[in-house]
Amino acid sequence: MMRENKRTLILTSVVCLIPIIVGLLLYDKIPAQIATHWDINGEANGWSSKFVGIVVFPGILFFINLLFPFLLKMDPKYNNVSNKVKSLLHWIIPIVCLFASTITLSAALGVNVKVEIYAPLFCGVLFVIIGNYLPKVKQSYMVGIKLPWTLSDEENWNKTHRMAGFLWVLCGLFMILFTFFPVRIPAFIILFVLMILVPTVYSYLIYRRKK
């Protein structure tokens, strides 16, 4: 198991480094200032030097990826986290790094990147994947819906995560669907609020009913 964890850490770290390597290879073709943030309409509204955008930002995610396994092991309930859930957690940061860096680098090279399309679509797919894993998550201080009522009651935790898993998959699918319609931004905001609010209220109602 230790060998598998080391192999996963090496692979995820390499994925985080790929955008930096590609960016450095294309460094001379990239303008001094590049877009690193976009508004809800896909218009660039934040700029950074090309070194910061290409090296520093993915570099930060690279170091977070290195630290994450050690932070996860600090959880007193670390043994509750299944291998499948650990694998998902290990890969989220590299995938986000690869996606964000690809958007930034493509825009810097003059590619017409539809950020207002790709970002909601990416988030929708990510939420569907996470939603499939939520019912498998056992009590933990690092992973899952960590509320006073779920952490103090295993039954509450399990019921909340089963419901939240279904909700996140459903909302993620709607996000993917609404990506291709003009209402995608308000729909995305509403769905995201529901994903947070509904499991919280549901968990609290279970707590109140048992009390």
Side-chain angles (χ1 to χ4, degrees), residues 19 26 30 42 54 69 93 95 112 117 124 135 145 184-185 194 210:
L26 299 171
I30 297 171
I54 292 170
I93 294 174
I95 290 172
N112 183 21
I117 298 292
I145 302 170
R184 59 181 170 269
I185 300 304
L194 288 174
K210 291 187 72 171

Side-chain angles (χ1 to χ4, degrees), residues 2 8 20 25 96 112 115 117 126 162-163 183-184 187 196:
M2 288 291 293
T8 300
I20 298 176
L25 291 174
V96 170
N112 183 21
V115 180
I117 298 292
L126 193 61
R162 281 197 296 269
M163 187 280 294
V183 296
R184 59 181 170 269
I196 302 300

Side-chain angles (χ1 to χ4, degrees), residues 88 120-136 164-177 195:
L88 173 67
L121 187 62
F122 175 78
C123 290
V125 172
L126 193 61
F127 288 142
V128 169
I129 294 172
I130 295 173
N132 272 292
Y133 278 82
L134 276 178
K136 305 178 181 71
F166 173 79
L167 179 66
W168 278 48
V169 170
L170 186 63
C171 288
L173 291 173
F174 273 115
M175 286 179 185
I176 294 170
L177 177 63
M195 290 167 60

